Amino acid sequence: MDGRFITIDEPYFDILKENQNFYVEFFDKSFGFELKNTQEFYYLISDETNENTSRDISIFFSILCYELDKDGKNFMDELGFSDFHIDEIVEYIKNSTWTDVVKANKQLNDGESIKRLVGSTMVKRNIAIKHSDDKYSFTKAYKLFIDFARDLIKTHIN
């Protein structure tokens, strides 16, 4: 799986779904990984992984959603159905009102880092898909990070 999300539009999704019990046990006994699934994607969780990248991707989506909302757009529709030019993404992050958060994050604090996060890290993990003309869309895996941010907010409110 190479650290990738397996999304519903891939043939591997059906293979995992049809043999889920086998793969749950296989990843647990072979690697100590927990295979998790939603209706739209599969992913693995390990106690040994470095969560900095997951944290940075969560911050990326939090800021992007905030800025899309501030721009009068329905961020869930935008993330689910729109393509973004990489320069548009960079501008949203660079011009965010969350300046301190952006400056403190090595993967978000300049345009090249943002381009690398989206164009390399997120594409490799099947969170983003690169299209022609430096445009990107997001796979359904973005929902994991949105749900994480939502749960984090609920925890802090309570």
Side-chain angles (χ1 to χ4, degrees):
M1 295 171 75
D2 198 25
R4 298 178 71 244
F5 285 84
I6 304 297
T7 54
I8 194 166
D9 53 346
E10 298 177 272
Y12 294 129
F13 184 89
D14 292 332
I15 294 169
L16 281 170
K17 188 174 183 175
E18 291 169 10
N19 303 291
Q20 185 168 314
N21 290 338
F22 168 79
Y23 283 110
V24 165
E25 188 173 334
F26 171 78
F27 284 114
D28 180 39
K29 291 191 176 178
S30 300
F31 306 104
F33 295 166
E34 181 182 358
L35 180 65
K36 304 283 282 185
N37 71 300
T38 70
Q39 292 181 346
E40 297 174 301
F41 57 87
Y42 280 89
Y43 61 102
L44 294 170
I45 295 178
S46 168
D47 292 336
E48 298 175 12
T49 58
N50 181 342
E51 292 300 324
N52 288 339
T53 300
S54 296
R55 178 204 61 201
D56 293 346
I57 293 171
S58 294
I59 292 169
F60 167 85
F61 277 119
S62 298
I63 292 172
L64 184 60
C65 289
Y66 178 83
E67 296 302 327
L68 288 169
D69 185 59
K70 201 170 84 177
D71 220 14
K73 298 177 178 175
N74 180 322
F75 63 85
M76 292 301 283
D77 286 346
E78 293 291 320
L79 293 178
F81 305 108
S82 296
D83 293 345
F84 297 87
H85 191 278
I86 190 64
D87 292 338
E88 179 184 14
I89 294 171
V90 168
E91 289 303 311
Y92 272 122
I93 302 297
K94 282 177 61 179
N95 296 325
S96 173
T97 53
W98 293 90
T99 307
D100 293 342
V101 175
V102 171
K103 285 183 179 176
N105 188 300
K106 290 180 182 178
Q107 295 199 65
L108 300 175
N109 63 10
D110 65 63
E112 291 306 313
S113 298
I114 297 166
K115 289 178 181 178
R116 198 171 29 256
L117 176 66
V118 175
S120 180
T121 303
M122 293 173 71
V123 168
K124 178 182 171 193
R125 295 172 187 221
N126 199 25
I127 300 166
I129 298 171
K130 184 175 183 181
H131 303 286
S132 61
D133 300 330
D134 283 335
K135 287 190 172 185
Y136 292 87
S137 61
F138 297 104
T139 69
K140 298 301 181 195
Y142 78 86
K143 292 180 179 180
L144 178 70
F145 300 97
I146 300 298
D147 289 345
F148 175 78
R150 185 179 300 132
D151 291 345
L152 187 63
I153 290 168
K154 287 179 185 173
T155 302
H156 283 289
I157 290 174
N158 294 329

